[in-house]
Amino acid sequence: MPLPTGSVRYPAGTHVGAIPGFAEGRLWVQDAAAALPAMLLAPRPGERIADLCAAPGGKTAQLAAAGAQVTAVERDPARLARLAENLTRWRLNVELVLADVLAWTPPALFDAVLLDAPCSATGPSAVTRTCRT
């Protein structure tokens, strides 16, 4: 079922790996609520955006797929590795930074910063996907 966010809702219990296009990186799975912050930010091509607390990368993917130059910051090395793996599958180019945002000093200012804390996907909801073009 299509949602207003541009996502498609799948029935509860859908195996993510079985969704056509998932393994090839043509889409990513993201909670419907988690899709809203990046959508509301309305990223533009070429805009420099920092995504803080970025893993596992759904919002990062939305920003990069919209053409933004994204710097994804994550403090947990395992979560950053997962983010890197996801970005490789999605074929999205994003600068990755391993740092605690409370101690990180960016080398330059950004046009926008996205910080969804706590992540809006912490509550229960159905699986959704966002397709990139």
Side-chain angles (χ1 to χ4, degrees):
M1 168 169 50
L3 301 175
T5 61
S7 298
V8 176
R9 184 179 303 269
Y10 283 90
T14 298
H15 185 297
V16 173
I19 298 171
F22 178 79
E24 299 81 17
R26 293 195 312 262
L27 58 94
W28 57 88
V29 174
Q30 185 175 27
D31 183 271
L36 292 175
M39 187 178 82
L40 293 172
L41 186 61
R44 294 181 298 269
E47 194 171 35
R48 294 188 64 247
I49 301 176
D51 182 7
L52 308 181
C53 309
K59 289 178 277 293
T60 301
Q62 282 180 269
L63 299 170
Q69 296 174 9
V70 183
T71 299
V73 183
E74 178 58 52
R75 73 177 184 175
D76 183 290
R79 289 176 56 81
L80 186 69
R82 176 68 184 270
L83 174 57
E85 175 186 304
N86 287 338
L87 290 167
T88 297
R89 187 175 70 254
W90 299 327
R91 295 177 301 281
L92 292 172
N93 186 25
V94 171
E95 178 186 9
L96 300 178
V97 176
L98 176 61
D100 184 330
V101 297
L102 296 176
W104 179 60
T105 302
L109 295 177
F110 290 95
D111 297 309
V113 174
L114 188 143
L115 174 59
D116 182 14
C119 180
S120 55
T122 56
S125 64
V127 174
T128 64
R129 76 173 186 175
T130 302
C131 297
R132 64 184 176 95
T133 56

